[in-house]
Amino acid sequence: HERAHESLTEKIPKDMSSRSLFKKTKHCVAQASKHALTFGVAEGEQAPLEQTLHDTVILTNKTGREKIVFAFRPPTGTDTYALTITPKSGSAREDPSGVARAMGSMKGKKVEKKGELVKFDLTFKSSASLSVVVQMSVENGLDHFFTIRLGSEKSVFGTPPADLPLVDDGRGRQIPQVLVMLRDYFMEHKAFEQQGIFRVSGDENEVRALKRAINEGKFAGSDDLHAVAGVIKVFFRQLPRHVLSELTVRQIIDSSDSQEKCVQALSNVSPMNRALFDWLMELLAETAKHTAANQMSAHTLAIVVNPNLFSAPKDVPMEPHESLRLSQAVMNFVMNMIKHASG
């Protein structure tokens, strides 16, 4: 076991280990029933979307101590999948030796193998191909690593927009067909008159049902217009790269104080992302025209939508006050462009 763990560490990213890990003095004091998590998906098959998959691991104590303490370090969640581990930390009691179990059997007594049951729950929110390593630290022992290598079913959500069916949106832009379809429904049913539209969340089950219907090519609308607006936000949030991701933090901050500067900064955005961004700004501008009914001004719409359009690169460390400044700048950028789209 120790040799297996030592060889595995060569494949683990540096940022997942610490100076104290894998010292020669450490031993494998915990045993896991398995290290490859499949969630019941057979090799070569794809995991379903919007369904929670389950897998379990039994941790047993290999030492003579009463218990060992463990803690999982799950990967940071994303907009494409959610992973939960229960419990994230705990202890495994001492496992009776084989001799003890054998003697118990001879006396007609059943000595159960003690262990801690750990549950893993995985949900794919959009198309994704996972290759994830989950680290478990063990007090005074070698760490364990659990692998998840699964691909999901294909989805409109989370797919590069250029790979989706495109149609002319009536303004000479090639836009994913799903967005044009959602906008048509949004406008025909006057969703822009709904109080709090884009701010009020639609029913979660309805949002999932709409996504599933869209993926199956069976979209027939919904009485929950907030859910329809929510699906539009989900589309942008789950794009592989946010539509403003080609802009730097500095470009966002420096251009956020005027419409003219924002328009100039957008010249650095690729044609597809620019088309998507302009499409959304025009929809939000139309919505803002009905502020008296929906109580959603350009400023309010920018607040609720901007997190779906830009996020700072993870490799750029930022102090809390810098993050706050960036968040304000992105909001101002989006607000300026909503007003610009209003003419």
Side-chain angles (χ1 to χ4, degrees), residues 239-306:
L239 286 172
R241 295 188 65 193
H242 287 159
V243 291
L244 295 179
S245 62
E246 293 159 302
L247 297 180
T248 65
V249 170
R250 177 51 54 191
Q251 286 173 322
I252 288 285
I253 292 175
D254 289 347
S255 62
S256 62
D257 59 351
S258 77
Q259 295 182 29
E260 183 180 354
K261 291 180 182 178
C262 290
V263 172
Q264 185 176 358
L266 286 170
S267 64
N268 296 290
V269 174
S270 63
M272 175 56 75
N273 281 340
R274 177 65 187 272
L276 289 173
F277 181 77
D278 288 347
W279 177 91
L280 181 60
M281 293 303 101
E282 290 175 8
L283 178 60
L284 297 179
E286 186 64 33
T287 301
K289 291 179 181 178
H290 301 271
T291 301
N294 60 39
Q295 298 183 13
M296 296 297 291
S297 64
H299 177 261
T300 309
L301 287 165
I303 290 175
V304 298
V305 170
N306 86 80

Side-chain angles (χ1 to χ4, degrees), residues 210-222:
L210 287 174
K211 289 178 64 180
R212 183 165 55 251
I214 289 170
N215 285 328
E216 295 173 355
K218 299 177 181 178
F219 176 77
S222 171

Side-chain angles (χ1 to χ4, degrees), residues 5 37 51 71 81 124 133 160 165 168 207 220 245 252 306 315 323 331 341:
H5 279 291
L37 305 177
Q51 294 184 30
Y81 75 94
F124 282 97
V133 178
D168 190 290
V207 170
S245 62
I252 288 285
N306 86 80
D315 59 351
S323 296
M331 188 276 292

